[in-house]
Amino acid sequence: MADVKTFDQGSKILQNVDVSSMVTALALGIAEAQERLDTNSVSQLIRLSESKVAGKSLLELGFQPAFYAFDYADISASISLKMAVKEEVEVDFSLSVDYKNNSNFDQDFFDELKESKKNSVSKYSKTQKDIALTASSSEDISINEKTTKVHEEEGSYSKIEKSKEQMRDVTNNIRVESVIDDKRVLDQNSSTDVFISKEEGYVIVTEPYIHTDTEGLLKLDSSSYPTSNPKPVITLKTGKTFEKETNFATTLGNARSVNGGTVTGINSTGIHRTGGTKVHEFFFDWDKHVIDYAYSTGVKSDSLNQADVTALAMTLKRDPSLVVTVTGYTDGSGSASQKNAAYNEALGEKRAKSLRSKLSQIAGETFTDTRVKVATEGESLANGSTARDANIRKVTVTFANGAPDYILFNGGEITKTGAAPKNTGPDHFVYVEPTNSSANTGLDITFLYGGKTYVLRQGATNNLSSLVNSKGKYEELFVEKVNESYYLLHEETKVNYFVHSSENKELNVKVNNESSEEMNKESTNVYVGETQNEFSKLKKSQQDFQGDKSVAISGSLDVRYARQFSMSVEGNASVSARMISVPPPTALENYIQSLTNTNSN
């Protein structure tokens, strides 16, 4: 039927349908069924007559065959032809024509918004609503009557994270994802010891890692632990040695006994803390992917803390041959659907990338998949459950097969004078360095960003000294120190909040107590998109978008026009019949009575 394009062509198909043949076929089917029933009864009769008990047939003993007949039969047949020509314009309504005269939201904004949506995890949710405003704008925004003072915080990082946290509603399954759109280019021209990067819209400045005592990293061949004497001897300094034992745990114990100070083991089973605890997991809050040490250790004390992550980062930096994999997981909360599974898979990847970014910041170099691979297992640990489970919202760190084992020394005997540790052979030190506690004193931090040079610290000038509680502002940049890094955010940067849910629901938004439908779209500082879900697909016929209205939309929206002819032929034939038991033929009944000398039926 692919060549059928008009209703006239489609209607001619009915002329070729022989309905009478359908009815005749059904009637013959009933007759054939009756014939089979009669044949079966006669077969029973023959078997009863031939089967003997004490010289008499079963018929003589009173057994009779059963006879059946159809009491009535209903036969029906129908055929229908469905045809439709559908012409429609489908609009990507995350963008709104109402804002076309608002200078705050130009064509570039809508183009960037669309790109952000493509890369967001919210695109997998059933319900979505977009809100956007600049980092410097602070407004009251209500979502389903829950009001948040957005961007009230002074710091760059807290400004976004706290707004997002307050807007989301865990109880009602309303999630919020933030995407910072900033096209300004970062060019680093600072001291080479300072690591400056741009990630997720922030300029992130990280000063070198400081160790206050001599630090050394010992690399052990994990495939050559001895099984007999003599055992390899590892030298810390003149007169201070320890043996490599049959396994890593015992060797690590020997190193701690001889060196003192702080000795940490690092291998494929995790970070070995003093006391024997091994850790290799980091946990995340519901629907989040940011690194929060306090939350992670609150879920499980034996999870990666800041010192563990630092130890891993510096091991990666000091041994370029080490390769690890960070795998992200989520719980199954949301719904048992394909879309939710895709959402959780994307969220697991974002969690893994967050830990890799943190490792890069601490190490002062960008780790890619060649050094720190990223993987996601999504909700695989949930085993079909849709419950929220903090114990499986995590990332794990694993080493490649055959990876070396490491022992990290800080302080103790390794700090004292003596022969330098061996740096060759299967078991050797890849790094030994005295304290660098003065490494960050007076380091220049300057960079070119968006065509402008910013000086955070240079010589006697220290613009970071004015931070209050690690938060503040320098020129157009909001500044905040988070853990070991400074996060900088330009005041004119657009921040997109993608409000979404795994359920179909309405999201009513008010800005400064005024509904988003009624606020002045030509002057507002806040963009609020249409609610997008299965109940609000914005589809209009071609006639609705003729003339000036069509022209106005095409300038800022993604408009797709489609004309489609569809046709289907559906045939249905049915029969219903009732079958009852009937007496045997009269002659047969008289014959059986003569055999049994009885008049009973």
Side-chain angles (χ1 to χ4, degrees), residues 91-141:
V91 180
D92 182 355
F93 56 94
S94 61
L95 316 181
S96 175
V97 68
D98 295 333
Y99 291 85
K100 68 181 184 299
N101 295 323
N102 190 323
S103 60
N104 295 313
F105 306 103
D106 56 13
Q107 181 66 49
D108 289 340
F109 164 76
F110 286 113
D111 290 343
E112 291 166 7
L113 179 62
K114 288 172 64 178
E115 286 303 312
S116 296
K117 289 287 286 184
K118 289 179 183 178
N119 299 322
S120 72
V121 295
S122 65
K123 66 183 178 183
Y124 298 109
S125 291
K126 289 185 177 180
T127 298
Q128 305 167 42
K129 199 177 190 77
D130 308 334
I131 301 173
L133 66 166
T134 62
S136 59
S137 297
S138 181
E139 312 285 350
D140 288 328
I141 295 180

Side-chain angles (χ1 to χ4, degrees), residues 264-369:
T264 304
I266 303 169
N267 76 345
S268 59
T269 61
I271 309 293
H272 298 243
R273 297 174 181 164
T274 302
T277 304
K278 291 184 290 187
V279 295
H280 70 288
E281 302 170 309
F282 189 95
F283 296 89
F284 293 83
D285 199 352
W286 180 75
D287 202 47
K288 292 186 177 182
H289 65 276
V290 297
I291 299 298
D292 185 338
Y293 293 113
Y295 179 84
S296 181
T297 54
V299 173
K300 186 177 179 181
S301 59
D302 295 340
S303 64
L304 294 166
N305 58 28
Q306 190 169 355
D308 300 324
V309 174
T310 298
L312 178 59
M314 298 312 295
T315 301
L316 284 161
K317 181 180 180 68
R318 291 162 179 170
D319 183 10
S321 68
L322 176 61
V323 177
V324 301
T325 299
V326 182
T327 306
Y329 298 87
T330 72
D331 58 27
S333 61
S335 63
S337 67
Q338 209 167 21
K339 267 196 167 186
N340 195 64
Y343 175 88
N344 284 330
E345 187 172 337
L347 180 57
E349 183 178 12
K350 288 178 79 74
R351 286 173 173 169
K353 285 182 176 179
S354 289
L355 184 60
R356 180 170 69 178
S357 293
K358 183 58 65 178
L359 293 170
S360 295
Q361 292 165 20
I362 296 171
E365 62 178 273
T366 301
F367 293 129
T368 61
D369 278 343

Side-chain angles (χ1 to χ4, degrees), residues 148-359:
T148 300
K149 186 70 172 179
V150 175
H151 296 173
E152 186 177 26
E153 288 285 326
E154 288 297 321
S156 56
Y157 189 80
S158 298
K159 183 182 293 293
I160 308 302
E161 292 303 314
K162 288 198 174 180
S163 296
K164 187 167 56 175
E165 175 67 23
Q166 291 170 5
M167 280 193 286
R168 77 174 186 160
D169 188 339
V170 177
T171 304
N172 293 309
N173 194 20
I174 294 177
R175 315 179 187 206
V176 181
E177 178 186 11
S178 63
V179 177
I180 302 172
D181 275 335
D182 180 31
K183 302 304 180 186
R184 296 173 184 84
V185 177
L186 169 68
D187 293 312
Q188 180 177 348
N189 59 347
S190 176
S191 165
T192 55
D193 292 329
V194 178
F195 183 68
I196 303 179
S197 61
K198 189 178 179 189
E199 299 176 32
E200 297 188 341
Y202 294 104
V203 174
I204 303 177
V205 179
T206 309
E207 297 181 280
Y209 160 71
I210 292 179
H211 50 91
T212 57
D213 218 329
T214 297
E215 200 163 87
L217 181 65
L218 175 64
K219 181 177 180 179
L220 300 171
D221 184 351
S222 61
S223 65
S224 64
Y225 285 97
T227 57
S228 60
N229 292 324
K231 297 173 181 176
V233 175
I234 298 170
T235 301
L236 285 175
K237 51 161 286 188
T238 302
K240 292 293 182 181
T241 62
F242 64 93
E243 290 184 334
K244 184 178 183 181
E245 295 286 353
T246 57
N247 57 66
F248 178 67
T250 307
T251 303
L252 178 60
N254 288 349
R256 285 172 172 155
S257 297
V258 173
N259 185 75
T262 302
V263 179
T264 304
I266 303 169
N267 76 345
S268 59
T269 61
I271 309 293
H272 298 243
R273 297 174 181 164
T274 302
T277 304
K278 291 184 290 187
V279 295
H280 70 288
E281 302 170 309
F282 189 95
F283 296 89
F284 293 83
D285 199 352
W286 180 75
D287 202 47
K288 292 186 177 182
H289 65 276
V290 297
I291 299 298
D292 185 338
Y293 293 113
Y295 179 84
S296 181
T297 54
V299 173
K300 186 177 179 181
S301 59
D302 295 340
S303 64
L304 294 166
N305 58 28
Q306 190 169 355
D308 300 324
V309 174
T310 298
L312 178 59
M314 298 312 295
T315 301
L316 284 161
K317 181 180 180 68
R318 291 162 179 170
D319 183 10
S321 68
L322 176 61
V323 177
V324 301
T325 299
V326 182
T327 306
Y329 298 87
T330 72
D331 58 27
S333 61
S335 63
S337 67
Q338 209 167 21
K339 267 196 167 186
N340 195 64
Y343 175 88
N344 284 330
E345 187 172 337
L347 180 57
E349 183 178 12
K350 288 178 79 74
R351 286 173 173 169
K353 285 182 176 179
S354 289
L355 184 60
R356 180 170 69 178
S357 293
K358 183 58 65 178
L359 293 170

Side-chain angles (χ1 to χ4, degrees), residues 2-18:
D3 295 332
V4 178
K5 302 295 182 183
T6 67
F7 290 108
D8 290 340
Q9 292 172 337
S11 63
K12 291 179 181 178
I13 295 175
L14 288 176
Q15 298 176 7
N16 299 320
V17 179
D18 188 355

Side-chain angles (χ1 to χ4, degrees), residues 425-493:
D427 306 312
H428 63 277
F429 280 89
V430 296
Y431 173 89
V432 177
E433 184 179 284
T435 176
N436 67 344
S437 58
S438 61
N440 291 356
T441 304
L443 285 179
D444 290 348
I445 305 176
T446 67
F447 54 90
L448 186 66
Y449 172 51
K452 179 177 177 178
T453 299
Y454 291 92
V455 180
L456 296 185
R457 186 169 59 215
Q458 188 175 51
T461 302
N462 185 359
N463 290 306
L464 296 174
S465 61
S466 61
L467 298 183
V468 178
N469 295 325
S470 299
K471 302 174 185 178
K473 191 176 182 185
Y474 163 59
E475 296 189 5
E476 302 90 0
L477 304 178
F478 294 105
V479 184
E480 182 173 359
K481 188 171 185 182
V482 182
N483 299 321
E484 59 285 305
S485 301
Y486 292 96
Y487 283 69
L488 286 69
L489 180 66
H490 197 285
E491 63 183 4
E492 294 304 317
T493 297

Side-chain angles (χ1 to χ4, degrees), residues 364-382:
E365 62 178 273
T366 301
F367 293 129
T368 61
D369 278 343
T370 58
R371 298 292 317 284
V372 181
K373 298 179 180 179
V374 166
T376 176
E377 291 292 334
E379 57 188 48
S380 61
L381 296 179

